[in-house]
Amino acid sequence: MDVVVERSSAQDDPARSEEAVKVETVGYEETWRNQDLKNENLVLTAPARRDGTVTALGRQKITTTAGGTGTITFTSRSGLAEVETSLANANANGEICTMGGRLFGLALGAAGSTLNASTYSGAKVTIERSPLGFDNWTDITDTIAAGGTTVTGEVRITLVANDGSVIRDSLYNNTDEYRITKVTDTNFTIQSVAASTEAIQVQSEVAASKTFEHRSTSGITVTNDATTFFEVNSNTLKGATAEFRHNGRTGALTGNIASVESSVKSSYGTEKKPVTDIEVEIFNTQSNTWEKLALGSTDGNSVDILDTTEKFRITTTYGEDKKIRDTISNNTGGRFTVTKTQFGASLDMKTGTDAQKSSTQLHVESEDLIAVNIHFGTSSQKEDHYDTEITMATAKSLGVGQEAGDNILTQQNAKKALENIMLAINKKDKIRAEIGSTQNRLAATVEVGSIQKENLQASESRISDVNVATEMTTFNKQQILANAAVSMLAQANNLPKLAQKLLG
């Protein structure tokens, strides 16, 4: 039963505003990042005005003239935080950093700088505070009251939007206080209590997100929701990169991945190809052994795999000697359920209050197995034979050749074919190692049998190689002694009769 070649592909989610995009592909290796970057928005009122374009350092030149009171309304990249800063009424030339609103060469007016009422609402909101700059952040979300809580120091708000996008605004340089109000568990508002004597700054960061679906060679599907580390954005200035890589063959995610939510789903057996036997095992890291779980044979029976299980496997049998084994590993906190169905079984994540995905990317290895029975006994008892499984090594099951879709019609396809060959070599080496392990076990069994045979022959020799001549001499000696004793006894019995004759 040859299985198909594994593939991994990105799933488009147009609703996600911070959806990562693919910027490069080399063979199966894809590079993804947040490409559609937004800019912070500046609105100036007279007499303040722009002077030229934004510099390479991300600064906008500002000129003020006499007459009137000028202000700068700065809206962060997230579009959620709005800071209004008044400028002194004087002829001045300066700059504002479009990364966060910092002023250079410009004096604040009497109205100072204030954070207008800003709302953060979505799937999840986390509020942190640091009294000493950008260090020692403490989660204060649970301390925010519905009636409002006054907070001093630097404030950082992380918003997971309803579309899955993740944005973080850091507010700092405020000489006064903030008033944060809890509307609901996922809806908070924040604003200045009084004007700051320094320009309030807001740094917006974004994390690129993307969902990938990896389908293994047996058809098991792993869904990975990946989110990168935050990336500071403001025009041409970048902070930590939101770039990462994805392998279109193996599904591996590498690079600046901050978090992954990984889930798995599969169905075993159909009406035309029903499963004749299914075995569920978990790996015991303490004893370094596989332990079988009892699923039962009744439709609807299920067995749960706990979040403490790092690795488990499902082996399904189709017919007499055709098997497929899926090994799921690298689980951290994921909870799974295997359920018996009419034609086989299903694998899925736990649902309801117990639902929990793995916080690390799940790895799946699918093997197409051939059962081999090695008979070495004299009867048909269980101990007279040894069962083992060998992974198939056809071109298609190894993922190479035309059956696997390889061709060299383009440079990209040629690179993919080379990667497939390297993966096939690694898989072939693993198969050889498994066969070698089986050979070693059989060789050890043969060696034990040979030792037992030698011991039996030695025992038989000690019995059969007795010195017959010595034993016959000893036997004759004992027989002569026995005959002499009998003769002497007979003579002793005749002595009374002889005495009687002499007297008579």
Side-chain angles (χ1 to χ4, degrees), residues 8 26-27 34 62 127 153 176 180 182 209 212 257 329 340 359 361 367 370 393-394 420 446 478 496 500 502:
S8 183
V26 179
N34 194 313
I62 303 293
I127 301 175
D176 202 79
I180 306 177
K182 176 181 178 181
S209 302
F212 299 91
I257 300 293
S329 60
K340 181 72 176 67
S359 60
Q361 184 181 1
E367 301 169 277
I370 294 295
T394 63
N420 288 341
V446 171
Q478 297 298 330
Q500 189 178 15
L502 290 174

Side-chain angles (χ1 to χ4, degrees), residues 444-466:
T445 302
V446 171
E447 185 177 356
V448 171
S450 299
I451 294 174
Q452 291 176 344
K453 178 182 177 182
E454 291 178 6
N455 292 339
L456 183 61
Q457 288 176 338
S459 299
E460 189 272 337
S461 295
R462 282 194 292 271
I463 296 173
S464 61
D465 295 344
V466 175

Side-chain angles (χ1 to χ4, degrees), residues 400-456:
V400 293
Q402 291 183 350
E403 285 187 318
D406 284 347
N407 65 74
I408 55 174
L409 298 178
T410 65
Q411 186 179 37
Q412 283 282 38
N413 288 348
K415 290 178 179 179
K416 290 181 178 180
L418 286 174
E419 290 184 36
N420 288 341
I421 291 173
M422 293 302 298
L423 291 172
I425 290 173
N426 293 335
K427 190 171 183 180
K428 176 266 300 177
D429 290 341
K430 184 176 180 181
I431 295 172
R432 290 184 63 183
E434 291 176 351
I435 295 175
S437 175
T438 302
Q439 285 180 321
N440 290 338
R441 293 182 63 183
L442 292 175
T445 302
V446 171
E447 185 177 356
V448 171
S450 299
I451 294 174
Q452 291 176 344
K453 178 182 177 182
E454 291 178 6
N455 292 339
L456 183 61

Side-chain angles (χ1 to χ4, degrees), residues 326-338:
D326 287 327
T327 302
I328 297 92
S329 60
N330 200 42
N331 175 47
T332 303
R335 298 170 181 168
F336 313 84
T337 297
V338 181

Side-chain angles (χ1 to χ4, degrees), residues 180-196:
I180 306 177
T181 303
K182 176 181 178 181
V183 181
T184 66
D185 288 340
T186 58
N187 187 331
F188 294 80
T189 62
I190 181 173
Q191 65 186 74
S192 294
V193 174
S196 170

Side-chain angles (χ1 to χ4, degrees), residues 37 52 55 155 278 397:
L37 302 178
T55 67
V155 175
I278 184 166
S397 61

Side-chain angles (χ1 to χ4, degrees), residues 52 104 110 152 186 211 243 247 305 308:
F104 297 89
T152 58
T186 58
T211 300
E243 185 176 283
N247 189 290
I305 298 173
T308 54

